[in-house]
């Protein structure tokens, strides 16, 4: 079982990005992984903007990244890039905060014109932070994430059919990478 930090980079309290992440979280939990949801907007603005890593809430966020085996990064796309809120957090994290971690980038937006933001804006930053393995990312149109009357979330059927193998591939990559990273079985001594 891997620990997955599920990060929403949306500034909105009614975020479709966060709703998409909670949908993905449920699937990852069904795969047997432990998921820790995290909303960047919950961090104190002054501590985040001044990179005050001594602030308890910001220090806790850094610890969550350090403890995670995998990270799901979700962001709305604004002006063909990931959110400024997410950018601020990524700037505060240590340079290699994602070293050895499996990462799944996800994005939401109002137009299919923003689909390339996952690969051309977000992926390079995640790679520069040392991500051990970045799985195929995915973009979901806002209109395909619906708030039900009971308060739950419904992902448009065809979108969910396409998203499911992306999430399953991430779950499988987590199992492969955390299994080898956590293999603590004794090794034979080398003759010398």
């Amino acid at each position: 079982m891997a620990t997955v930090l599920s990060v929403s980079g949306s500034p909105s309290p009614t975020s479709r990005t966060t709703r998409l992440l909670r949908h993905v979280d449920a699937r990852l939990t069904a795969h047997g992984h432990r998921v820790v949801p995290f909303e960047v907007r919950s961090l104190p603005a002054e501590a985040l903007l001044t990179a005050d890593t001594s602030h308890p809430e910001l220090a806790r966020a850094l610890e969550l990244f350090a403890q995670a085996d995998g990270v799901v990064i979700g962001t709305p796309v604004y002006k063909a890039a990931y959110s400024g809120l997410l950018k601020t957090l990524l700037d505060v994290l240590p340079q290699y905060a994602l070293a050895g971690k499996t990462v799944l980038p996800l994005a939401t937006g109002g137009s299919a014109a923003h689909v390339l933001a996952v690969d051309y804006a977000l992926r390079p930053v995640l790679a520069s932070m040392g991500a051990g393995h970045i799985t195929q990312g995915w973009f979901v149109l806002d209109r395909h994430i619906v708030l039900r009357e009971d308060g739950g979330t419904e992902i448009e059927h065809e979108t969910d059919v396409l998203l499911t193998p992306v999430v399953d591939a991430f779950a499988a990559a987590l199992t492969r990478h955390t299994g080898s990273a956590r293999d603590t079985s004794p090794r034979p001594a080398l003759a010398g």
Side-chain angles (χ1 to χ4, degrees):
M1 173 178 79
T3 298
V4 179
L5 183 61
S6 181
V7 180
S8 174
S10 176
S12 172
T14 57
S15 168
R16 284 184 176 90
T17 301
T18 303
R19 290 181 173 282
L20 175 65
L21 285 170
R22 297 306 79 94
H23 177 78
V24 168
D25 295 351
R27 184 140 189 102
L28 292 171
T29 300
H31 276 285
H33 299 299
R34 177 178 170 261
V35 178
V36 179
F38 178 71
E39 293 185 41
V40 181
R41 71 181 197 84
S42 70
L43 292 171
E46 185 174 345
L48 186 60
L49 290 172
T50 60
D52 181 5
T53 56
S54 67
H55 189 286
E57 290 181 57
L58 197 50
R60 176 69 183 134
L62 271 61
E63 184 63 26
L64 289 173
F65 273 90
Q67 293 173 352
D69 300 305
V71 181
V72 178
I73 299 278
T75 182
V77 175
Y78 300 125
K79 296 180 177 50
Y82 52 93
S83 74
L85 182 63
L86 179 60
K87 170 72 168 136
T88 304
L89 175 65
L90 295 176
D91 285 348
V92 171
L93 292 174
Q95 177 61 50
Y96 296 105
L98 300 177
K101 299 183 188 315
T102 302
V103 180
L104 169 60
L106 298 174
T108 61
S111 165
H114 298 301
V115 72
L116 295 177
V118 173
D119 286 330
Y120 291 102
L122 188 54
R123 183 178 292 274
V125 174
L126 301 175
S128 77
M129 296 180 72
H133 180 60
I134 303 172
T135 62
Q136 176 186 352
W138 203 253
F139 177 87
V140 176
L141 288 168
D142 287 342
R143 68 179 176 267
H144 293 171
I145 305 166
V146 179
L147 174 62
R148 293 190 316 241
E149 286 185 21
D150 65 1
T153 301
E154 183 175 325
I155 306 298
E156 187 267 338
H157 177 72
E158 287 181 33
T159 298
D160 199 27
V161 165
L162 295 170
L163 177 63
T164 296
V166 171
V167 177
D168 291 351
F170 172 72
L174 277 170
T175 301
R176 282 191 308 274
H177 289 100
T178 57
S180 61
R182 290 193 175 161
D183 182 5
T184 57
S185 56
R187 301 281 192 261
L190 296 175

